[in-house]
Amino acid sequence: MDSSFRISSGAVSDRGLSEKRPQNEDSYLEMSKIGIYAVADGVGGAQAGEVASQMAMEILGEAFANRHDGDDAETVMRTAIEQANVAIHQMAHELPQLSSMATTVVALHLDENIATIGHVGDSRLYRVDRDGNLNPETDDHSMVAEEVRAGRMTAQQAENHPSRNVISRALGAETTVDVDLKTIMVDPGTAFLICSDGITRHVSDQEIKGVLTFGGAPAEICEYLKNLCYERGAEDNLTAVVVKIAATHSIENQVARSLAASDTEEPTIATARSSFENQVTDEDEGELLELETGEISIPDTTLELPTEHVDDSETISIFDEERPQPVTLATPQNEKTEPVEVASSSSKPMDDSFSMFGDSGTALSEEEKSGSVAKIASAFAMLVLGSLIGLGIYHFALVPKPADPPIDQRLSVMRTDDIAFSSFEKNRRNVDANPEEYIREVPPASDAEDYYLIGRAYLLVGDFPKARLALIEAQKQIAQVEPANAKILNTDIATALVLTTDPTIQSRLKLELDAVSRQLSNPNANQ
């Protein structure tokens, strides 16, 4: 977080007083250093709701902990919540004990004065601005809330409706989830409340406005809300995270100086300008709009070329900043187009040995010249014809033809167009078949897939600390994986990371793996 704003926060989570809910299935996130706060209300009974809410918080926290500078917070939040949905849904289908688990989620990310809010379910986020106005920033995804928004039910009827706890959207319920997202600008003096429905069941909106404007510390406000719920029965698990934004003294001083300066100085208006504009003066502006084209000229040092080979478009004029006269570059022409220099009458006579018409000093008649030319042309034609015949005989009769390469009769089968994916799947099967052997014989990891596979192997043998280290390294290098495989691998890594941090899930995973191992070793046991 930027030091221009001072952020304070507090949180509370409690199972409440109801005997129907002996376990607290709520979870929350409070990571002030990276500015992420969230609440998740798990559903599913037993400990399934607790697992779902913890997975959502783990994946969301990991996503923002690994967020790079410049990454859009709204995109990171959407991706993290969607990945959490996939991971929870997948685990709910793989483990029978967790088959009905799901969770709500509501999250807040703060970056200076920019607040990003993500939301699925009926957990809520309230904002009170510095003027004391209450702003509900989320709309419940529940059956009764949708009826109220459609005008078929009043808010008073919804408060006591028997289906008020039935949510219409949750993480893990379907293969995909629609996430509500928004980004708003906030001012110093703003306060947020992120809470599960265990709070809003007993505390009205007006009371929330009162406690957020009360002026106490966030931890004190959370404790007050808990006690208020206890006084009114605390029928559900209750969780609240309170976040307050205040300006540091440096910001206050800057504002004061700006206000003082505005009384004596004229306002300065700045407009965006390109680097090119900075190099152009007002005098040059008109000249740049209409450049003069220099005349095309060929220096005396160039060869006198035939006019049909001169291409005006290849003459390049170069102007420097002081606008000198154009410099003309002559484009080199192909050597074959150079004119043949013919000796004039004043040149030295050609040597007699190069004359095809006898003595250069003897004048020949027209008939003699014609006969000589005809004889020479005929002889030259015969010579060419003989050469062609000889080459044909040599090529087709004397030169042995290379033997045709043997035809490979073997059939080749392409299992998949994605060779990298096929290799990765093969290695993953090797890991699952014998993780101990894979750990012993695997070469040093070099990319995200290698780190994931070694992390998976450590996970299967129960060495969770080493598994977590390898999986985190795999997550850091995920950008190097081909896009076709990156999404699937990222989801697997996120799911596996949750397993490395929760002892309850680890014990259940061990029981499931032991049961599968016994079934494979004794396939007739269930018959």
Side-chain angles (χ1 to χ4, degrees):
M1 294 295 294
D2 192 273
S3 58
S4 302
F5 294 87
R6 184 173 67 253
I7 309 296
S8 58
S9 64
V12 65
S13 186
D14 193 272
R15 78 172 187 88
L17 298 174
S18 175
E19 296 299 330
K20 297 179 180 179
R21 295 178 173 85
Q23 300 288 337
N24 184 5
E25 297 182 278
D26 288 359
S27 300
Y28 70 92
L29 200 62
E30 184 187 13
M31 302 175 70
S32 298
K33 289 185 178 180
I34 57 176
I36 182 69
Y37 310 88
V39 167
D41 183 357
V43 296
Q47 292 181 338
E50 177 186 359
V51 173
S53 65
Q54 287 181 0
M55 288 179 67
M57 296 297 93
E58 281 281 343
I59 294 173
L60 188 62
E62 287 283 347
F64 278 94
N66 294 305
R67 173 178 175 244
H68 300 291
D69 292 339
D71 288 351
D72 179 60
E74 196 168 298
T75 301
V76 174
M77 187 172 290
R78 180 190 300 277
T79 302
I81 293 176
E82 289 177 348
Q83 287 182 354
N85 178 76
V86 172
I88 294 169
H89 185 267
Q90 181 177 340
M91 182 170 289
H93 279 70
E94 290 179 354
L95 300 178
Q97 301 93 326
L98 307 177
S99 59
S100 60
M101 74 174 180
T103 186
T104 69
V105 65
V106 57
L108 167 70
H109 178 261
L110 291 175
D111 186 359
E112 298 188 44
N113 64 331
I114 302 174
T116 302
I117 300 167
H119 166 237
V120 175
D122 64 350
S123 296
R124 297 180 184 177
L125 187 146
Y126 291 90
R127 174 176 63 90
V128 171
D129 60 27
R130 61 183 179 183
D131 297 325
N133 301 313
L134 180 69
N135 301 275
E137 297 292 351
T138 57
D139 295 322
D140 289 354
H141 299 145
S142 64
M143 301 298 293
V144 295
E146 291 175 359
E147 291 295 308
V148 171
R149 287 193 289 269
R152 293 186 290 266
M153 186 182 298
T154 65
Q156 291 75 16
Q157 291 173 333
E159 289 180 0
N160 300 314
H161 197 278
S163 299
R164 64 183 182 275
N165 294 329
V166 179
I167 56 178
S168 58
R169 203 185 302 179
L171 299 189
E174 303 290 342
T175 55
T176 60
V177 67
D178 187 14
V179 185
D180 285 357
L181 289 162
K182 67 166 66 173
T183 299
I184 59 175
M185 308 294 287
V186 296
D187 299 313
T190 301
F192 295 93
L193 169 64
I194 313 168
C195 61
S196 63
D197 64 342
I199 296 287
T200 55
R201 180 192 295 261
H202 299 294
V203 184
S204 67
D205 287 2
Q206 287 301 315
E207 288 174 319
I208 290 174
K209 174 182 176 180
V211 296
L212 290 181
T213 56
F214 175 69
E220 295 173 350
I221 296 174
C222 290
E223 193 64 25
Y224 177 82
L225 289 172
K226 173 188 170 183
N227 293 334
L228 198 60
C229 291
Y230 262 70
E231 291 174 4
R232 299 172 181 179
E235 299 173 2
D236 196 357
N237 305 149
L238 56 96
T239 300
V241 177
V242 174
V243 183
K244 285 191 171 185
I245 304 175
T248 60
H249 294 298
S250 59
I251 283 291
E252 295 168 353
N253 294 337
Q254 290 175 15
V255 172
R257 286 196 299 269
S258 299
L259 293 175
S262 64
D263 295 335
T264 57
E265 297 179 3
E266 292 292 333
T268 301
I269 302 176
T271 58
R273 297 178 61 87
S274 68
S275 59
F276 179 74
E277 289 179 292
N278 295 333
Q279 300 174 3
V280 180
T281 64
D282 294 337
E283 296 178 358
D284 294 336
E285 184 175 356
E287 297 179 0
L288 286 175
L289 295 177
E290 185 176 356
L291 296 178
E292 297 181 359
T293 304
E295 296 182 357
I296 301 173
S297 62
I298 301 177
D300 295 339
T301 56
T302 59
L303 294 175
E304 183 178 354
L305 303 178
T307 57
E308 61 270 21
H309 294 293
V310 177
D311 187 356
D312 292 348
S313 64
E314 295 185 2
T315 304
I316 305 171
S317 296
I318 301 176
F319 300 86
D320 60 12
E321 295 179 355
E322 298 178 357
R323 302 178 61 83
Q325 294 298 321
V327 179
T328 304
L329 302 181
T331 305
Q333 302 291 334
N334 194 309
E335 293 181 358
K336 293 183 179 180
T337 62
E338 293 183 6
V340 178
E341 184 178 356
V342 181
S344 65
S345 59
S346 61
S347 302
K348 182 179 178 180
M350 187 180 295
D351 191 273
D352 293 343
S353 61
F354 290 96
S355 174
M356 295 187 295
F357 304 104
D359 190 355
S360 61
T362 305
L364 299 178
S365 65
E366 294 297 328
E367 294 181 356
E368 289 175 340
K369 290 180 180 179
S370 300
S372 299
V373 170
K375 290 178 182 180
I376 292 171
S378 176
F380 182 74
M382 293 299 293
L383 179 61
V384 171
L385 181 61
S387 299
L388 293 174
I389 294 172
L391 288 172
I393 294 173
Y394 173 78
H395 179 74
F396 291 103
L398 300 180
V399 177
K401 295 182 179 180
D404 294 335
I407 299 176
D408 190 357
Q409 300 295 335
R410 295 176 297 174
L411 296 177
S412 60
V413 179
M414 178 61 73
R415 297 182 181 274
T416 176
D417 293 335
D418 193 342
I419 304 302
F421 177 75
S422 178
S423 175
F424 174 73
E425 282 297 316
K426 181 179 178 181
N427 289 333
R428 183 157 65 172
R429 290 173 183 245
N430 292 337
V431 170
D432 291 354
N434 195 335
E436 295 88 351
E437 182 179 354
Y438 189 85
I439 293 172
R440 289 195 306 269
E441 299 181 359
V442 66
S446 60
D447 55 25
E449 294 171 345
D450 291 345
Y451 280 108
Y452 168 71
L453 291 171
I454 191 65
R456 185 183 181 93
Y458 279 123
L459 197 66
L460 293 174
V461 300
D463 195 340
F464 298 107
K466 290 183 179 179
R468 183 172 180 81
L469 292 176
L471 292 168
I472 291 175
E473 188 62 33
Q475 196 174 54
K476 292 178 180 178
Q477 300 189 25
I478 196 69
Q480 302 174 6
V481 179
E482 294 184 6
N485 302 334
K487 186 173 182 180
I488 296 175
L489 184 60
N490 209 6
T491 300
D492 287 349
I493 292 172
T495 305
L497 278 171
V498 174
L499 295 174
T500 64
T501 58
D502 193 296
T504 303
I505 300 177
Q506 292 168 10
S507 60
R508 292 185 180 182
L509 175 65
K510 188 174 185 307
L511 291 175
E512 290 291 332
L513 292 176
D514 291 343
V516 171
S517 178
R518 288 193 299 270
Q519 184 177 0
L520 292 176
S521 60
N522 188 10
N524 298 324
N526 296 329
Q527 297 181 355

